[in-house]
Amino acid sequence: MDHKPTPLKGLKTSGKRLWTAVLTDFSLDEHETTLLRQACRVADTCDDLQAVVELRQQRLALARLVVALRVPLCEEEQHPQGAPRLQRGALRGVYSGGAA
């Protein structure tokens, strides 16, 4: 392929960077260009979703840290010695009621 294909309209920063980086170093056949276009769209979508994913990851990290600290399950549950009962076992997962 002698000419560089035109980038998709509407690409954002990551998509444009990927487009430029690949086509700077490589000449692509039409089927490869189609794949590159899809990859650029996905790169932009990943950027859009980054904040949501990061929030979910932080919630998981918080839950795991709380489990690791073995904080009391509730104030009423006490050991015979009067000390609060601590959580036992590993975190199985954190679930939310709504979609992100």
Side-chain angles (χ1 to χ4, degrees), residues 53-72:
V53 172
E54 206 44 50
L55 174 61
R56 190 171 58 114
Q57 292 298 330
Q58 290 302 309
R59 285 181 176 162
L60 283 169
L62 175 61
R64 288 182 176 138
L65 288 168
V66 169
V67 168
L69 288 171
R70 300 184 63 182
V71 296

Side-chain angles (χ1 to χ4, degrees), residues 26-65:
F26 302 100
S27 292
L28 303 180
D29 290 332
E30 185 57 37
H31 69 282
E32 295 167 323
T33 302
T34 300
L35 290 173
L36 177 59
R37 286 185 176 112
Q38 292 301 315
C40 291
R41 287 184 179 122
V42 171
D44 285 340
T45 301
C46 287
D47 283 348
D48 292 342
L49 295 175
Q50 182 62 34
V52 176
V53 172
E54 206 44 50
L55 174 61
R56 190 171 58 114
Q57 292 298 330
Q58 290 302 309
R59 285 181 176 162
L60 283 169
L62 175 61
R64 288 182 176 138
L65 288 168

